[in-house]
Amino acid sequence: MGVLGCGRIGRMHAELIARHVHSTELVTVYDLIADTAAAVAKELGVRHASVPEEVITAPDIDAVAICSPTHTHVDLLLKTAAAQKGAFVEKPLALNLAEVDKGIAAAEAAGIPVQIGFNRRFDPSHRYVRDQVANNEIGDVHLVRISSRDPTPPPLMPLDESGGIFCDMTIHDFDMIRFITNSEVTEVYATGAVRIDKAIAKVGDLDTAVIVCTHENGVISTIDNSRQAVYGYDQRVEAFGSAGMAASENPLSATAVTRTAQGSQAPTLPYFFVERYIPSYVAGWEAFANMMAGAPSPVTLADGRAPLVIGLAAWRSIHEQRPVRTEEIG
C-alpha cells in the first residue's frame, strides 16, 4: 500500500494502514517535504519514497492512498489509473468539475477500484441513522438535519486553494445528506457570514453558514456550520419522518459524570476529528480492503462528484442570493 501525502490526514491513514497490514515493509509513504516522509516512515517502521511515481509504479504495491493537497488529487489519480492500481482518494476530488470529470473518466477507463474518503459514512452512529431510514423504521422521511461545527478555524487559505467552507468542510455534510436520504439534491439555498474571525472574510470565505437542500424525493435537508464551537467537535445527524425520528448524538471523551449539590457535570466532547472519528476511519479501511478483494466501492466516484456540485451550488447561492438548481452547475 502506498500513501501519498504525510500531512495530518495522510499520516493518520498511514498509521492505520501500518497497524493492519501483515508487514510494514508492504507500506510506502511519500510527501513533497522529504524530511516529513522520512520522519513518518521511521516512526511507523515503513518505507518512504523520493517521488510519487516510485510509489505508484512499485511492483509490490497494489493500491495507493492519495492524501495530498486537493489540487494534486486528479493528477495522481491519473497516474494511479495508468499503473492499474486501486485508489483511495481524499475528498474533494478537485475544486472544479472539469478536473473531477477528467479523473473519473481515467479511473473508469482503466477499470480500477476507487474509494472516496468520506469517512463519516462509516461512523456507527451516523450509519445507524441511515439504516433506520433505509429499513423504513421512521416511515416516509420529511426532514434531515445536520449540525457540523469545528472547535477552531483552520489555517487561512485562499478560496481557490481550499474551496472554502462549502467545498472543504460542508462537503462532508453534503455527502451525508445524500447517504442518509439515498436521494440526490436538486436545489440549494445558502446563507452565511463571518462571525468568528474577520480575517476569514479577507480570503473570501465564511465561518458560519446555514444551507437548505431539496432532494429528488421531496426530503428537505438543513445543515448548520460553524468554524468555532468552544465546547468541542460537534457532529450530529437527525432524520425525521412520518413514523418517528432517528438521530446520532456526540460521544463524550469519557463515559463519566460528576454530581454535586451544585449540579451535574459531564466530560467534554472529543476536540477534533481524529479523536471523534478513528472508528470510522478504521471501518473505512476495512471496506477498502473488501473493495480490493472484489466488493463494490462503498464510496464511488459518483459519490465524490455529487457533493462538489452541491458545494459549488451553495457558493453560487451565496453570491447571487437565490436558490440554485444543481443542474445549473453540471
Side-chain angles (χ1 to χ4, degrees), residues 106-218:
E108 290 181 341
I112 62 169
V114 180
Q115 177 176 325
I116 307 301
F118 284 119
N119 67 290
R120 295 182 194 175
R121 288 179 175 231
F122 302 98
D123 176 76
S125 298
H126 299 336
R127 184 170 283 271
Y128 174 86
V129 176
R130 183 257 189 187
D131 289 346
Q132 291 296 100
V133 170
N135 295 333
N136 201 36
E137 295 294 334
I138 63 170
D140 292 331
V141 179
H142 299 168
L143 299 169
V144 169
R145 178 175 58 81
I146 295 179
S147 290
S148 183
R149 304 164 187 169
D150 285 351
T152 188
L156 290 176
M157 293 179 64
L159 200 61
D160 60 352
E161 292 182 19
S162 70
I165 191 170
F166 297 130
C167 297
D168 172 50
M169 177 183 177
T170 324
I171 198 164
H172 279 290
D173 307 312
F174 295 146
D175 177 68
M176 187 56 55
I177 60 174
R178 296 177 60 252
F179 181 60
I180 296 293
T181 63
N182 193 33
S183 180
E184 298 297 339
V185 170
T186 57
E187 187 176 270
V188 181
Y189 179 73
T191 184
V194 175
R195 301 286 295 164
I196 298 163
D197 183 353
K198 292 180 180 179
I200 291 174
K202 294 180 181 179
V203 297
D205 207 352
L206 307 168
D207 57 32
T208 307
V210 174
I211 309 98
V212 179
C213 296
T214 304
H215 295 255
E216 284 181 348
N217 63 0

Side-chain angles (χ1 to χ4, degrees), residues 119 122-124 274-284 286:
N119 67 290
F122 302 98
D123 176 76
V274 173
E275 293 88 351
R276 169 67 175 85
Y277 282 121
I278 283 295
S280 73
Y281 282 113
V282 172
E286 291 172 349

